[in-house]
């Protein structure tokens, strides 16, 4: 069954069941215009040709993992918390409940340290930084969220703090109008310090941590180790954007609790 026919089938199913979105893992086709009110989530940079050598059970397992990644993006970037999505692969069309993604990234697990709406805003911004980069190049950065005075005691300012003296309205991370300035300052060395109300208190700050007792997967560099370390030493949440690979990770208690792929492209093709 070719990609066009698989897409047509997925779009027909989505229209009939009132799906919130179609998640496309195949090349787009004009047939997508049949469902203009249903967003098409484009997933890129996946090597799905390897699926042809797997059993159907393994194919479905891999497909469900990809659908979970897409559901996480729908939850964070489109604020979709319920409903079904239709995923279309070269070898299968599957239905997926957005609740699976929402439950995977349950922000309530961190709410004793950071309010849900603040963490949601910081994660959504981190994903945009991972996807867009800056001036055509990938960038890495980190957000440390919690009691700013406690974070300041475990860090030092490496450059002039661009947020020093700025009014709170221009530092509020929950306001998307302020994201462009954060993206610009994300090119600087160091981390952002975010307080529990969602205000950016500093940028370009270096963490003064040892990294002792921290065990991370191979391939993660100094930014990830420093972020993990400060979450081990004080009750804060750390979010990192990896310059290589574009992964967004959430750290707590010295451990990486959640990893989110950024190579999910959300766009409406209808």
């Amino acid at each position: 069954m070719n990609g066009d026919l698989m897409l047509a089938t997925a779009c027909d199913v989505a229209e009939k069941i009132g799906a919130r979105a179609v998640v496309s893992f195949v090349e787009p086709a004009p047939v997508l215009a049949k469902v203009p009110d249903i967003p098409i989530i484009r997933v890129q940079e996946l090597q799905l040709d390897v699926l042809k050598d797997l059993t159907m059970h393994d194919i479905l397992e891999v497909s469900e993992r990809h659908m979970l990644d897409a559901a996480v993006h729908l939850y964070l970037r489109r604020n979709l918390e319920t409903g079904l999505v239709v995923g279309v692969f070269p070898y299968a069309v599957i239905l997926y409940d957005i609740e699976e993604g929402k439950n995977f990234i349950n922000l309530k697990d961190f709410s004793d340290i950071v309010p849900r709406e603040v963490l949601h805003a910081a994660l959504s911004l981190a994903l945009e930084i991972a996807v867009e980069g800056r001036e055509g190049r990938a960038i890495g950065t980190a957000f440390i969220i919690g009691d700013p005075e406690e974070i300041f005691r475990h860090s030092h300012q490496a450059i002039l703090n661009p947020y020093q003296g700025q009014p709170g309205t221009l530092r509020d991370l929950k306001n998307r109008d302020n994201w462009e300035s954060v993206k610009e300052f994300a090119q600087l060395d160091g981390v952002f310090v975010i307080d529990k109300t969602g205000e950016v208190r500093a940028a370009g700050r270096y963490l003064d941590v040892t990294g002792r007792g921290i065990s991370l997967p191979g391939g993660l560099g100094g930014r990830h180790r420093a972020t993990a370390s400060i979450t081990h030493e004080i009750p804060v949440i750390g979010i990192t954007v990896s310059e290589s690979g574009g992964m967004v990770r959430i750290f707590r208690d010295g451990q990486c609790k959640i990893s989110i792929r950024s190579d999910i492209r959300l766009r409406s093709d209808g």
Side-chain angles (χ1 to χ4, degrees):
M1 188 177 289
N2 62 37
D4 288 358
L5 185 53
M6 296 293 281
L7 275 168
T9 301
C11 290
D12 287 342
V13 171
E15 197 167 23
K16 289 176 181 176
I17 67 172
R20 305 297 299 273
V22 172
V23 180
S24 175
F25 292 82
V26 298
E27 288 300 315
V31 69
L32 298 182
K34 292 175 59 180
V35 283
D37 295 329
I38 299 179
I40 306 301
I41 289 76
R42 183 82 51 77
V43 182
Q44 300 175 342
E45 301 172 11
L46 292 177
Q47 298 178 341
L48 292 177
D49 56 322
V50 301
L51 295 181
K52 63 186 179 183
D53 297 322
L54 302 179
T55 65
M56 182 54 69
H57 178 272
D58 290 337
I59 287 173
L60 290 175
E61 190 173 271
V62 172
S63 298
E64 286 185 356
R65 175 64 231 188
H66 291 323
M67 289 297 295
L68 170 58
D69 291 330
V72 167
H73 280 257
L74 281 169
Y75 170 53
L76 288 175
R77 301 177 65 190
R78 293 283 181 88
N79 291 317
L80 296 183
E81 298 191 13
T82 60
L84 295 174
V85 293
V86 179
V88 53
F89 294 83
Y91 310 103
V93 172
I94 65 176
L95 302 184
Y96 198 85
D97 192 334
I98 294 174
E99 286 280 352
E100 294 291 331
K102 176 187 172 184
N103 292 337
F104 167 74
I105 194 167
N106 191 352
L107 302 186
K108 293 179 181 177
D109 293 343
F110 306 91
S111 60
D112 59 317
I113 298 177
V114 177
R116 178 185 180 279
E117 63 272 16
V118 173
L119 187 57
H120 187 286
L123 271 177
S124 300
L125 174 55
L127 279 171
E128 286 200 7
I129 292 173
V131 169
E132 299 171 3
R134 204 65 178 168
E135 298 178 355
R137 65 182 180 88
I139 57 176
T141 192
F143 300 103
I144 310 301
I145 314 172
D147 181 347
E149 299 307 320
E150 187 75 11
I151 299 171
F152 290 158
R153 282 192 287 272
H154 290 78
S155 62
H156 66 275
Q157 198 67 41
I159 60 169
L160 184 66
N161 179 11
Y163 287 96
Q164 182 72 36
Q166 295 294 321
T169 54
L170 298 181
R171 293 188 278 120
D172 187 359
L173 208 66
K174 300 188 300 299
N175 184 349
R176 294 182 66 95
D177 292 339
N178 296 328
W179 286 12
E180 280 304 311
S181 63
V182 176
K183 292 176 184 179
E184 191 69 26
F185 294 136
Q187 300 177 87
L188 303 173
D189 288 337
V191 306
F192 290 90
V193 176
I194 316 294
D195 68 22
K196 295 183 180 183
T197 71
E199 287 191 8
V200 184
R201 299 290 295 273
R205 200 159 181 92
Y206 280 6
L207 301 176
D208 300 325
V209 289
T210 64
R212 288 194 298 268
I214 299 298
S215 177
L216 295 178
L220 297 185
R223 180 183 295 112
H224 297 87
R225 180 165 296 277
T227 299
S229 295
I230 196 168
T231 68
H232 177 69
E233 294 187 15
I234 59 176
V236 294
I237 301 299
I239 299 175
T240 60
V241 177
S242 177
E243 185 174 352
S244 59
M247 291 289 290
V248 173
R249 296 177 172 89
I250 307 176
F251 291 85
R252 175 178 181 160
D253 301 326
Q255 299 179 337
C256 178
K257 297 295 186 179
I258 297 174
S259 297
I260 307 172
R261 284 174 34 205
S262 67
D263 60 342
I264 307 292
R265 306 294 189 261
L266 302 188
R267 57 178 294 179
S268 297
D269 292 301

